[in-house]
Amino acid sequence: MSIVPSAKSTGALYWPVQARRNIGVRSLFLVVLAFLIAYGVLFPGLFAASGFAKFTQSWFPLALVAMAQAILMLTGGISLAIGATVSLGAVIAATTMAGPFGVAGGAAAVALTGLGIGAATGFIVVKLRLPAIVVTLAGSFIIGGAALLILPRPGGAIPAWLSDLLAGDTPAAFVLLVVIVLLWKLYLATPLGLSLYAAGENPVGAYRSGVPVDAARVAAYAISGLLSTGAGLFVAAQTGSGDPVIGTAFTLNSIAAAVLGGIGFLGGQGTMRGALAGSLLLSLMISVMFFLGFTPVAQYVAQGLIIIGAVAIPQFRKV
Amino acid sequence: MTAWNDSAGGKRASAILKSRPFLTLAIVAAVWIVASFVSRGFGAYGHLRYLVELGAVIGLVAAGQTFVVIAGGIDLSVAAIVTVSAISLPLLSWQADPTGLVSILAVLVLTTIIGVINGLGVALLRVHPMIMTLAMATFLQGLLIIIAGGSAVTAENPLVHWLGNARPAGIPAGIILWIATSAVVLTVMHATPFGARIFAMGANPLAASLSGVPMTSTTLAVYGISGFTAGLAGVLVLGMNGQGYVGIGDPYLLASIAAVVLGGTSILGGLGTYAGTIPGAILLVTITALITVVNASPGWRSILFGSLILGLLLLSGREQARR
Amino acid sequence: MTTVAPLLAARGVSKAFFGNPVLRGVSIALQPGRVHALLGENGAGKSTLINLLSGALRPDGGEIEVDGRAVPRMTPALARQAGIAVVQQELSLTASLSIAENVGLGAYPKRFGLIDYKELAARAKAACALVGLNEPLSTPVGHLALGRRQMVEIAKALYRKPRVLILDEPTSSLSSTETKILTDLLERLRGEGIAILYISHRLNEVMALCQHVTVLKDGTCTADRSLVGTDATGLVRLMVGRDPGDLFPKWQPFVSTTTAISVRKFSAGLMRDVDLDIRAGEVLGIGGLVGQGQEDLLLGLYGAIPGRTASAVVNGISGLPGGVPKANALGLAYVPADRKREGLHLIHPILTNMMLPAFARLPALKLRSRKTERETGKSLAAQLAIKGDLQRPAQALSGGNQQKVALAKWMPHDPLVLLLNDPTRGVDVETKREIYLMLRTFAAAGKAVVLLSSDTSELVHLCDRVAVVREGRITATLERAALSEEAIVSAAMGAEKQKVAA
Amino acid sequence: TTANAAANCIKGDRKPPYTIGWADIYSVPTWMKQTQGTIEAEVETLKKQGLVDKLVVTDAQGDANVQIQQIQSMIDSNIDAIILIAGSSTAPARVLADACAKGIAIINFDSLVDTDKVTAKVNTDSSQWGDQAAKFLINAIGGKGKILILNGPAGISVSDDRRKGADAELKAHPDVKVLAETNTPYNVAPAQEAVTSLLFANPEIDGILSLGGALSAGAVLALDKQGRDQVPITGENARQFLELWKEKGLKSWATMQPNWLGAFAAYTAVQALQGKDVPAFVKIPLPVIDNSNIDEYLARAKDFPADGYIYSPYDEELFKKLLAQK
Ligand SMILES: Nc1ncnc2c1ncn2[C@@H]1O[C@H](COP(=O)(O)OP(=O)(O)OP(=O)(O)O)[C@@H](O)[C@H]1O
Ligand SMILES: Nc1ncnc2c1ncn2[C@@H]1O[C@H](COP(=O)(O)OP(=O)(O)OP(=O)(O)O)[C@@H](O)[C@H]1O
Ligand SMILES: [Mg+2]
Ligand SMILES: [Mg+2]
């Protein structure tokens, strides 16, 4: 251990703390950067306004669900209901926004549903001490069932102006993502937000230190639900309508993105920027493989290799 | 775990009665009894026998999954392995193998190797099990594109057909296979040093390795076993359906995990028993069958299914505090 | 002084876990300006008592009083408001958070609802300075060595500006320098009128620091008196209820010419190019400041981390063991310092923990014999005085008893070389005595013991030789005749480079 | 569409040879592989004619969101034509509109998208499918009796359309009692499991209305395993089902979603790119398999995968005829 007296002024603590957290994900950042460059070379249109807009739009929902999963995993939880929750969010958006309460009413319904589902799940997992993986598996059937009740088949509608705003040739998705990341940083700068880490890694110690462990975990589930239905709203806007099974694939993808980004399963390990980078890699991979002209078989093989490689290579450098 | 305590007779009996496996079994029985009141034919002997036969497929997949989960991992490639097994068996059948045994063995070797490769990734590349097995499932999809649909000629494998359809002494062969597998699994898990190593590895890998547990070989063995039992399930499911197809294994991924956890094995590793997974598997097929015979819209059915699992989870116990 | 209402007190508290009584009608009163020692054997209920005092657990009976007033439902939050701070043994830290964020955890200064990092930095820095913790405040705690984490835990308690400071074995993983800083600090805090409750198994510290003592035995209070006029022997008598013998067994020279382990230019982890001979029949001590690479030395020899060497002979076989199973096969055994994380499977039965090395080396599919396991377990428990049902999970044992289990599991294998990483940390005197006796007997049987210890007196009185490690090198090897606490400390600090040959 | 106006989305600025993008939703299932086989064969023919130089294939792995991203990439790479089976009947609408605006020929077949912004949609009539199947079954059980309905996954428009298509017939025959309905993937195993449980719960069953895929084979196996007599059943052209039909002497009727829809989509795309007018919706008449022609199908069985579908024969003449219909 280096026993270096701290010469830095005490005022600047926040930024050094942030910088130290990058250490674990640096190599992933490099991989992502390499893919970004490859994408830019293969498709120069990426740097045009519309190319950039479309690219961020296809990444955006995955980024949201990766965050939704990561925040749970940071507290030592997990959700297999993310996909179903995305579907429910999409369905609610597509059935309410064209109705009497309009876009604002619809957005409120989507947000409240997400918060409510998340809080309920969190309550069951945290207060009743049931294993999150099965609770959320059961939850995925219940939530998915609710989506089917609301919209038994794809349909509904999102006002065109909203679709154009969120998923037209505008950088709205990117701006939204920046705002959400800022909000996350803000949340992490609150006592409740930061206690996510303590509550995830060392709940007993955190409790003894006076951290409201249960509240922090339930809040994480609620935020996760909000992010998931939010992703659903965006997907609905992006597609102009609702589909009760549109979110299915997001469950596993969100876990893959989070783990790829260095989020551990035991709680308290990893950072949100890592999870975001993980989701970006998953999204980039699809487009890059297209432009490289991979056949489906090659796509499957390459996808597996990239995922393993991104996780294994940093491990090797540690040894 | 309590069922495997070494306490004296009476204490032991009460421990068994209080144990998770027994509790799960009691819940299965309760669901069966209630369901046969709701629906006339549900409790018929033939139906129960069929449910157990269906449970055998989940039970076989979940056998390997139990090993993996106890060892602190998870195997997301089991569904793809079941499919690979069911699809490649006809391709590997040939004339010089009249009983079909050789082809079955060949397939099981193949799926075991797939499992061992998972283990290599986890143990040597140190890729998280969830990621490693997810990537493996992706690879296997690519493999399936190549091999699926190649079985232009239905290759009749007598042993596979027997497994899927025969009923020696009135008991479906699949159930017999399951019972035999369960006996081996329970013995290996609870009565051998290998089993003890797996529990140790799952509860605290660092302490296990410092205690001399051979981590790499144990990990390879655990994932190999999972590949093997998933392969076996693929053979059985092929026999029961007469035809393999892409997607035949899909239902068994979440089902195997759910059976393991409903049976009381901790998803965090280190605690559990296959004795709980067995009723856990039967519980799942029972609920699925129950949902099928209930007349409701797909949405309500899905909600009912989820609520039942949640309710039973509440009954069958909570995760213990850890760390 | 006794007329003042105690800042914090327990009145006749009882606590049982799953029907097993752990505390029975225990009372304790913490007065301002007094360091109060809480003594007792492992498992006597000390930690449980402080958990009651600090609201982490709720008593089954009796009352907790703050400033003479009963608090019906004590919680950690209430305790904090009442100015009670607890130093738990590295328990309450979060590895991924920085030092400052750990120190302030649960009591962050706020501005507009956000953590005020500026204020946090200032206050954390002040708290850290008190305990001599000078790493950058942004360092993640996970990057710190165990002893430094312990200092963070203490800083965390001080950060709360407590009126009552409770320390549960704060020195067990501290080096002597760090211990000195702490004792000086406690002296000062006492002078400022703070009430201090101090738990330790190191009686010399207790003698030097404390004014009053409460002794617990099997969950009841057996003594509650002033320490004035009591000496260390008297203390031990209070604790064990009879006359203590000598803590350290009589040292007898053992002449042996065979070397158990011999390495040249050995590197592993922090250790660089070390030459070392470990003789059969000796207890070789490893000393030095915490975190100089001592642990890597043991782990490297044990094959648990990769090591390089110019030449190595281990129990007659040349070459380093490539991996733990190979090391075990060569007769090496390792007992880690952090028993909870590295030594034990807390959720598994005590018996299973004891049998694990056997499981690791038996043929994988040979059927187990429950009967033999039970018998082995029973005899080990008897040998090391581990009481109670061996089917309980190891986490139900008190810290000291956990340590015994971590040691006991190697005994059936008759290791030729025992690599011990601070084996008496948190162990009560009686058990320590038993362990010391065991180690000497072990050495006398012609086997080698390597004892890494943070307790210098242990090194002085128990070892045949002590190798002192500093910055990854062995800077001195002190033979028995040259062994003294001063010699070890000065070698560790590098005050003078010495190479004393006997 | 008037006679000399080009087809929808076509601007006439794209010259042969064309690059065709095949946006597959999930390439692993056998039906999809067979479909891809017909596309590849067709593309080979078109290549020989110098009309096509490349077929780009993407696989969305069942995820409608990925399919959208891949279609976007196709647009970005300025592809000439996109043929697709949609992963959602609504989701790709907006990205397809973008493609259409760029003058890319879009032929959507099998699973359709609710949008006009495509060159053409090609499909059988799902509603008619349900209607004809119900007609056959009701007729086969003599206008009254107890039936089970097996349907594909819930929440998907194809299964919903087929089921709705059966409604009118069912309403018209109040003596036909629907005992139970199930939604499962279009596969053998789940159908067999569901039907077995339903048979125990409802000992008297007169017929099974099965709405596609390999569901019927599962139902037949379930009856067979319980030693029950087979009942009239509808189905699709899955090879396993057709073989069971013959083996058990079933009273059956089947139709199909011909795999050559893929080849036809590729053909249509090139036609449209060349400035030919193509109808916005090409309705493919449902081929019917019944006892009169099942032997013809089974005679060709060995050319098809054991877990595949025996589709009706096709040739360019057929394609021309289909395009000519108004
Ligand atoms: N949560 C718990 N569940 C069950 N038993 C417990 C629990 N906590 C403590 N015990 C038991 O209570 C007894 C007292 O434990 P405690 O930790 O208070 O002892 P201690 O005096 O602190 O010992 P040590 O000196 O070893 O730290 C022990 O026998 C321990 O096994
Ligand atoms: N939920 C629990 N179930 C069983 N035992 C527990 C539980 N929580 C704590 N214990 C045990 O009770 C004892 C008291 O807990 P505590 O955290 O105070 O440790 P401790 O005795 O001070 O240990 P150490 O001396 O190693 O720090 C410990 O042995 C701990 O492992
Ligand atoms: Mg204690
Ligand atoms: Mg202790």
Side-chain angles (χ1 to χ4, degrees):
Chain A
M1 262 316 105
S2 59
I3 306 181
V4 198
S6 102
K8 294 211 182 80
S9 102
T10 54
L13 174 62
Y14 184 76
W15 295 111
V17 165
Q18 298 301 315
R20 296 298 288 252
R21 294 207 183 124
N22 276 336
I23 291 169
V25 277
R26 261 178 213 155
S27 57
L28 177 67
F29 288 163
L30 289 180
V31 175
V32 171
L33 192 68
F35 268 81
L36 258 180
I37 293 172
Y39 190 18
V41 170
L42 290 165
F43 172 52
L46 177 62
F47 303 111
S50 118
F52 181 74
K54 293 296 172 198
F55 162 67
T56 43
Q57 282 158 21
S58 54
W59 170 38
F60 186 73
L62 188 60
L64 287 198
V65 294
M67 290 182 82
Q69 191 67 267
I71 189 174
L72 293 183
M73 291 174 65
L74 282 178
T75 65
I78 194 166
S79 175
L80 296 185
I82 297 251
T85 314
V86 171
S87 300
L88 184 62
V91 163
I92 292 178
T95 47
T96 54
M97 288 196 162
F101 299 106
V103 167
V110 168
L112 288 178
T113 309
L115 283 173
I117 287 177
T121 312
F123 180 84
I124 294 172
V125 170
V126 172
K127 294 287 182 188
L128 305 183
R129 286 213 269 129
L130 294 173
I133 198 162
V134 194
V135 171
T136 54
L137 178 60
S140 74
F141 287 103
I142 298 175
I143 298 164
L148 275 177
L149 287 184
I150 297 176
L151 214 53
R153 55 174 290 159
I158 299 290
W161 66 265
L162 184 65
S163 288
D164 290 338
L165 176 69
L166 290 178
D169 280 340
T170 69
F174 185 72
V175 172
L176 265 181
L177 193 60
V178 170
V179 170
I180 289 170
V181 169
L182 286 179
L183 285 177
W184 164 251
K185 297 262 63 155
L186 216 57
Y187 182 65
L188 214 53
T190 65
L192 190 68
L194 193 61
S195 38
L196 271 180
Y197 278 93
E201 185 188 312
N202 186 349
V204 176
Y207 172 72
R208 288 184 184 172
S209 311
V211 171
V213 173
D214 286 359
R217 295 179 64 198
V218 175
Y221 274 92
I223 294 173
S224 170
L226 177 64
L227 286 168
S228 304
T229 50
L233 191 158
F234 184 84
V235 168
Q238 193 182 17
T239 61
S241 57
D243 180 330
V245 294
I246 191 81
T248 314
F250 280 125
T251 301
L252 278 186
N253 282 340
S254 65
I255 296 175
V259 178
L260 207 52
I263 307 271
F265 280 83
L266 296 177
Q269 307 153 304
T271 53
M272 198 54 92
R273 63 198 84 158
L276 283 172
S279 69
L280 180 55
L281 180 59
L282 287 185
S283 183
L284 275 172
M285 201 161 65
I286 295 168
S287 301
V288 171
M289 287 193 302
F290 172 85
F291 280 102
L292 290 175
F294 281 23
T295 64
V297 174
Q299 284 174 31
Y300 281 110
V301 173
Q303 190 175 332
L305 285 177
I306 293 169
I307 293 178
I308 293 179
V311 177
I313 291 166
Q315 289 287 354
F316 266 106
R317 296 195 1 192
K318 250 185 252 168
V319 172
Chain B
M1 271 301 275
T2 24
W4 302 91
N5 279 352
D6 319 69
S7 34
K11 212 170 145 193
R12 182 165 195 157
S14 92
I16 290 178
L17 287 182
K18 276 190 234 153
S19 70
R20 276 294 289 269
F22 188 82
L23 194 61
T24 317
L25 198 64
I27 291 175
V28 172
V31 171
W32 273 2
I33 291 168
V34 172
S36 36
F37 279 109
V38 174
S39 160
R40 287 173 291 142
F42 196 92
Y45 167 72
H47 190 223
L48 300 189
R49 184 177 63 184
Y50 177 67
L51 290 184
V52 177
E53 192 182 354
L54 279 185
V57 185
I58 299 182
L60 286 177
V61 182
Q65 191 73 270
T66 309
F67 273 108
V68 175
V69 170
I70 289 177
I74 193 159
D75 190 344
L76 300 184
S77 66
V78 284
I81 296 180
V82 170
T83 305
V84 165
S85 164
I87 295 265
S88 58
L89 187 54
L91 299 179
L92 290 177
S93 298
W94 55 87
Q95 296 287 310
D97 176 25
T99 60
L101 183 64
V102 178
S103 349
I104 293 182
L105 289 180
V107 165
L108 293 180
V109 167
L110 171 73
T111 60
T112 307
I113 290 175
I114 295 174
V116 169
I117 295 174
N118 276 332
L120 283 173
V122 172
L124 298 185
L125 300 183
R126 306 199 197 175
V127 178
H128 189 279
M130 220 174 216
I131 291 291
M132 182 62 215
T133 53
L134 196 62
M136 176 57 80
T138 311
F139 286 138
L140 294 180
Q141 295 277 304
L143 179 70
L144 282 173
I145 297 189
I146 299 171
I147 64 172
S151 50
V153 183
T154 324
E156 270 299 321
N157 183 316
L159 193 51
V160 172
H161 185 82
W162 183 85
L163 271 177
N165 299 285
R167 283 189 194 143
I171 304 173
I175 297 184
I176 296 175
L177 176 69
W178 190 21
I179 293 174
T181 310
S182 301
V184 174
V185 165
L186 285 171
T187 308
V188 169
M189 197 173 271
H190 299 291
T192 68
F194 175 73
R197 287 176 204 168
I198 290 169
F199 280 95
M201 218 164 80
N204 186 345
L206 193 54
S209 97
L210 287 175
S211 302
V213 172
M215 302 297 276
T216 309
S217 57
T218 311
T219 308
L220 295 190
V222 164
Y223 285 88
I225 291 173
S226 185
F228 177 85
T229 62
L232 203 55
V235 173
L236 178 58
V237 88
L238 174 64
M240 289 168 68
N241 289 289
Q243 181 64 61
Y245 56 86
V246 171
I248 197 166
D250 291 357
Y252 302 110
L253 172 57
L254 291 180
S256 68
I257 295 171
V260 168
V261 181
L262 281 175
T265 295
S266 162
I267 196 74
L268 302 175
L271 289 178
T273 169
Y274 187 59
T277 307
I278 296 170
I282 301 177
L283 186 59
L284 275 181
V285 289
T286 306
I287 300 177
T288 313
L290 194 60
I291 298 300
T292 309
V293 301
V294 168
N295 247 332
S297 79
W300 280 116
R301 270 198 203 142
S302 180
I303 292 176
L304 192 57
F305 184 78
S307 310
L308 271 174
I309 298 220
L310 200 57
L312 296 175
L313 193 65
L314 266 170
L315 281 182
S316 74
R318 302 169 171 194
E319 186 86 344
Q320 284 171 11
R322 272 291 176 96
R323 285 185 280 182
Chain C
M1 195 149 151
T2 35
T3 50
V4 190
L7 292 182
L8 177 64
R11 300 272 176 235
V13 291
S14 313
K15 180 75 189 171
F17 290 110
F18 312 112
N20 302 326
V22 171
L23 291 175
R24 279 173 278 216
V26 172
S27 299
I28 191 168
L30 308 185
Q31 301 288 356
R34 188 168 87 177
V35 184
H36 192 135
L38 179 59
L39 300 184
E41 296 171 16
N42 292 130
K46 305 180 294 292
S47 300
T48 307
L49 180 58
I50 65 157
N51 283 339
L52 297 182
L53 287 171
S54 63
L57 289 174
R58 205 146 307 140
D60 300 335
E63 268 172 351
I64 306 294
E65 287 176 5
V66 174
D67 295 322
R69 271 189 308 277
V71 182
R73 274 177 64 95
M74 188 64 139
T75 64
L78 277 180
R80 182 161 63 79
Q81 281 161 26
I84 300 162
V86 184
V87 175
Q88 254 119 21
Q89 198 154 18
E90 53 124 358
L91 247 178
S92 70
L93 300 181
T94 303
S96 47
L97 294 184
S98 66
I99 293 180
E101 287 164 325
N102 267 290
V103 167
L105 187 70
Y108 291 125
K110 280 185 275 188
R111 241 178 104 199
F112 313 122
L114 300 183
I115 300 170
D116 183 349
Y117 268 88
K118 202 166 172 174
E119 172 77 10
L120 174 64
R123 285 171 54 187
K125 195 183 165 96
C128 288
L130 284 177
V131 296
L133 198 65
N134 43 17
E135 282 86 348
L137 289 177
S138 61
T139 314
V141 161
H143 294 191
L144 298 178
L146 195 54
R148 305 305 286 174
R149 288 189 209 184
Q150 180 66 56
M151 298 309 264
V152 176
E153 183 78 45
I154 297 169
K156 181 172 172 180
L158 297 174
Y159 167 92
R160 289 148 202 257
K161 302 240 175 351
R163 294 192 304 146
V164 180
L165 180 60
I166 301 176
L167 301 105
D168 191 355
E169 296 183 45
T171 55
S172 61
S173 53
L174 296 189
S175 66
S176 42
T177 354
E178 288 165 327
T179 306
K180 182 82 173 59
I181 296 178
L182 180 65
T183 40
D184 290 350
L185 174 69
L186 293 183
E187 266 308 315
R188 225 175 72 212
L189 293 175
R190 181 176 81 87
E192 291 169 13
I194 289 179
I196 295 170
L197 180 63
Y198 191 82
I199 301 180
S200 176
H201 292 291
R202 295 182 177 176
L203 298 182
N204 48 352
E205 279 170 22
V206 172
M207 289 304 301
L209 197 63
C210 305
Q211 292 80 46
H212 196 93
V213 63
T214 294
V215 178
L216 287 182
K217 189 165 171 59
D218 293 335
T220 52
C221 197
T222 56
D224 182 6
R225 49 174 285 186
S226 163
L227 262 179
V228 181
T230 317
D231 59 2
T233 335
L235 261 186
V236 178
R237 199 180 300 120
L238 276 179
M239 277 174 61
V240 287
R242 61 183 162 78
D243 254 340
D246 285 333
L247 180 56
F248 294 100
K250 215 169 135 40
W251 183 79
Q252 279 167 335
F254 180 86
V255 206
S256 163
T257 46
T258 44
T259 40
I261 297 181
S262 163
V263 288
R264 293 289 169 274
K265 287 201 168 302
F266 170 78
S267 303
L270 291 178
M271 294 305 284
R272 287 279 162 268
D273 299 330
V274 169
D275 294 349
L276 185 65
D277 290 298
I278 302 165
R279 298 177 205 143
E282 75 169 345
V283 178
L284 172 69
I286 309 280
L289 296 177
V290 174
Q292 301 290 303
Q294 299 97 311
E295 189 171 70
D296 293 342
L297 175 62
L298 297 198
L299 289 176
L301 292 175
Y302 191 53
I305 59 173
R308 274 182 301 108
T309 178
S311 74
V313 181
V314 178
N315 286 331
I317 312 286
S318 70
L320 289 171
V324 175
K326 295 219 178 75
N328 293 156
L330 286 174
L332 270 57
Y334 173 75
V335 180
D338 192 343
R339 57 188 166 247
K340 284 184 179 155
R341 276 185 39 225
E342 300 169 2
L344 291 178
H345 292 81
L346 292 174
I347 53 176
H348 286 170
I350 299 164
L351 181 63
T352 316
N353 272 286
M354 288 174 165
M355 295 309 299
L356 187 57
F359 295 146
R361 50 165 69 181
L362 283 170
L365 294 179
K366 183 175 184 287
L367 285 188
R368 284 163 58 180
S369 158
R370 300 272 171 180
K371 190 157 159 275
T372 323
E373 288 170 21
R374 266 199 306 275
E375 279 159 9
T376 315
K378 253 189 216 143
S379 79
L380 286 175
Q383 202 180 328
L384 288 157
I386 299 166
K387 279 163 272 177
D389 184 2
L390 296 185
Q391 287 302 335
R392 279 176 306 158
Q395 66 184 344
L397 285 176
S398 73
N401 280 309
Q402 289 178 352
Q403 181 64 55
K404 293 193 223 168
V405 175
L407 194 60
K409 66 182 187 182
W410 292 109
M411 291 303 124
H413 300 282
D414 253 341
L416 297 172
V417 181
L418 259 188
L419 305 169
L420 305 175
N421 191 348
D422 232 355
T424 58
R425 177 189 300 164
V427 170
D428 67 39
V429 269
E430 275 302 288
T431 317
K432 260 187 200 162
R433 189 202 316 278
E434 289 159 22
I435 292 177
Y436 294 151
L437 199 62
M438 235 175 65
L439 297 187
R440 284 296 351 165
T441 323
F442 198 78
K447 312 204 171 130
V449 177
V450 181
L451 175 69
L452 191 168
S453 177
S454 55
D455 184 345
T456 318
S457 68
E458 201 168 279
L459 292 175
V460 171
H461 295 289
L462 198 66
C463 296
D464 298 278
R465 290 187 302 154
V466 172
V468 182
V469 175
R470 198 164 72 85
E471 287 171 2
R473 291 170 200 278
I474 293 182
T475 50
T477 306
L478 306 166
E479 294 289 337
R480 178 81 196 181
L483 272 183
S484 68
E485 301 212 7
E486 296 72 35
I488 293 177
V489 171
S490 66
M493 307 287 286
E496 40 186 311
K497 297 246 158 77
Q498 56 196 149
K499 196 111 193 169
V500 185
Chain D
T1 33
T2 51
N4 48 5
N8 205 359
C9 304
I10 304 294
K11 291 183 178 155
D13 53 348
R14 295 176 183 273
K15 298 282 165 274
Y18 305 111
T19 301
I20 296 182
W22 157 220
D24 196 352
I25 180 64
Y26 186 28
S27 66
V28 187
T30 306
W31 191 89
M32 288 294 191
K33 275 192 69 167
Q34 290 184 278
T35 303
Q36 175 151 339
T38 71
I39 295 173
E40 282 166 352
E42 181 64 28
V43 165
E44 274 316 304
T45 314
L46 293 167
K47 272 186 185 168
K48 286 198 192 102
Q49 297 169 5
L51 292 173
V52 170
D53 63 350
K54 212 166 117 199
L55 176 70
V56 174
V57 186
T58 59
D59 178 354
Q61 305 181 9
D63 185 345
N65 298 293
V66 171
Q67 188 178 41
I68 292 172
Q69 191 179 347
Q70 288 170 333
I71 294 174
Q72 183 64 47
S73 290
M74 288 184 179
I75 300 173
D76 291 343
S77 72
N78 197 23
I79 213 153
D80 297 308
I82 296 173
I83 60 177
L84 82 148
I85 293 180
S88 157
S89 63
T90 52
R94 283 176 54 88
V95 74
L96 289 182
D98 287 353
C100 187
K102 295 242 158 69
I104 299 172
I106 307 162
I107 314 295
N108 177 202
F109 66 103
D110 185 48
S111 286
L112 302 184
V113 185
D114 297 339
T115 177
D116 302 330
K117 304 283 176 51
V118 294
T119 309
K121 295 189 209 172
V122 174
N123 206 6
T124 53
D125 185 332
S126 296
S127 170
Q128 196 184 349
W129 179 312
D131 184 61
Q132 290 194 14
K135 274 208 180 80
F136 164 82
L137 189 75
I138 291 170
N139 192 20
I141 61 174
K144 67 177 189 359
K146 297 172 176 168
I147 65 165
L148 299 178
I149 299 181
L150 310 183
N151 198 359
I156 313 267
S157 50
V158 172
S159 28
D160 198 50
D161 287 339
R162 288 185 191 165
R163 177 63 188 81
K164 287 214 176 93
D167 262 346
E169 279 298 318
L170 290 172
K171 282 225 179 69
H173 295 86
D175 289 343
V176 175
K177 194 165 169 264
V178 178
L179 291 174
E181 296 198 36
T182 65
N183 291 85
T184 61
Y186 287 112
N187 284 331
V188 180
Q192 187 182 176
E193 288 167 23
V195 172
T196 302
S197 288
L198 289 172
L199 287 177
F200 275 105
N202 307 285
E204 285 163 41
I205 283 176
D206 302 311
I208 297 175
L209 181 63
S210 158
L211 293 174
L215 298 174
S216 315
V220 173
L221 285 176
L223 285 163
D224 191 47
K225 270 207 175 177
Q226 282 189 35
R228 306 262 301 248
D229 290 338
Q230 295 290 340
V231 295
I233 184 169
T234 61
E236 199 172 345
N237 60 335
R239 178 174 159 185
Q240 190 184 6
F241 172 58
L242 297 189
E243 283 173 345
L244 281 169
W245 175 343
K246 195 71 191 164
E247 184 189 326
K248 311 280 176 207
L250 302 181
K251 199 170 184 188
S252 275
W253 171 98
T255 182
M256 74 185 68
Q257 188 76 326
N259 296 85
W260 49 257
L261 289 184
F264 179 63
Y267 176 83
T268 308
V270 171
Q271 295 293 311
L273 282 169
Q274 285 183 304
K276 308 241 172 68
D277 183 22
V278 299
F281 186 85
V282 184
K283 188 166 133 184
I284 308 292
L286 283 168
V288 170
I289 306 176
D290 53 23
N291 277 328
S292 71
N293 62 356
I294 177 144
D295 290 329
E296 289 167 29
Y297 280 89
L298 284 174
R300 293 186 291 126
K302 61 178 186 332
D303 300 334
F304 296 85
D307 58 341
Y309 293 76
I310 306 177
Y311 49 81
S312 58
Y314 69 95
D315 54 17
E316 199 176 336
E317 282 314 305
L318 174 64
F319 289 175
K320 282 191 176 137
K321 218 169 75 198
L322 288 170
L323 280 184
Q325 69 178 351
K326 281 281 134 76

